[in-house]
Amino acid sequence: MAASALCASCRQLGPCSALTEGNSSREMVSCLDLGSLSNPGFFNYGVETHEAYKKRSLSSDIIEEQKKLQEADLVIFQFPLYWFSVPAVLKGWMDRVLCQGFAFDFPGSYDDGLLKGKLAILSLTTAGTASMYSKTGVNGDFRYFLWPLQHGTLHFCGFKVLAPQISFGPEMASEEERKKMVASWAQRLKTLWEEEPIHCSPPWYFGQ
């Protein structure tokens, strides 16, 4: 990716046009995540974050998030399903925080990922009903869209992944049904530590 594709000023390391004064939540990748670039002539965010991690020059907010992960035994990702994936703010967090050298390396992925020994679980809500996310439903089996998140991201980084907690269609549900969704999740949280991780392999997602 050319430098100008991400930020017109990355080459000069001046003010980053990817962030404006009124948009400082930092959910998007930016040259401000890094110290000095290892290759100013050709910007590659993955390479630059790896180099910045090794030089300990990542931005302070990324370092703080990485410290939280290092201290955690279990990470719960709570989000509404958005285009069969995570919302942009969570995708940006993954892009920025789960960098090479910290969360994975080569070698150092999947069962040998650098976050191995930790548990992770996706807790999400959908706009559609459970029947819409079945094998015969219009959206297909919900396990299909979990493959890139659970396997390609979490398992890739070494996490042991617990079965997801999915609340289907709370917007269309009655108040009583929503209360049951919350109660079910609250009850599960009491014994979450006793659960066995899923087998993060193609058969779990796509069948035999």
Side-chain angles (χ1 to χ4, degrees), residues 70-193:
Q70 287 173 329
E71 295 170 357
D73 296 312
L74 166 67
V75 181
I76 299 174
F77 294 89
Q78 179 71 54
F79 60 94
L81 190 68
Y82 198 87
W83 290 120
F84 283 22
S85 186
V86 296
V89 64
L90 181 51
K91 179 60 167 64
W93 182 93
M94 291 176 172
D95 291 343
R96 300 176 72 229
V97 176
L98 302 178
C99 69
Q100 184 178 354
F102 171 74
F104 68 93
D105 216 327
F106 302 106
S109 60
Y110 291 113
D111 290 341
D112 295 317
L114 304 185
L115 297 179
K116 63 183 178 181
K118 299 180 183 297
L119 294 172
I121 182 173
L122 302 181
S123 173
L124 60 124
T125 57
T126 71
T129 61
S131 62
M132 295 172 67
Y133 292 94
S134 65
K135 287 186 177 180
T136 57
V138 65
N139 292 327
D141 195 319
F142 70 88
R143 296 188 182 202
Y144 300 160
F145 64 76
L146 293 179
W147 170 259
L149 294 174
Q150 292 188 159
H151 183 73
T153 302
L154 300 180
H155 185 208
F156 184 83
C157 294
F159 282 107
K160 293 293 186 183
V161 182
L162 300 177
Q165 180 74 19
I166 305 179
S167 299
F168 291 102
E171 226 180 338
M172 296 181 286
S174 66
E175 183 177 354
E176 187 61 31
E177 288 171 329
R178 287 194 292 271
K179 287 181 179 178
K180 288 181 180 179
M181 293 178 190
V182 174
S184 173
W185 183 213
Q187 183 61 36
R188 186 182 175 191
L189 286 171
K190 295 178 182 179
T191 57
L192 202 61
W193 296 103

Side-chain angles (χ1 to χ4, degrees), residues 35-52:
S36 59
L37 299 181
S38 64
N39 185 358
F42 189 84
F43 187 81
N44 183 311
Y45 185 77
V47 170
E48 295 296 344
T49 52
H50 186 205
E51 292 300 316

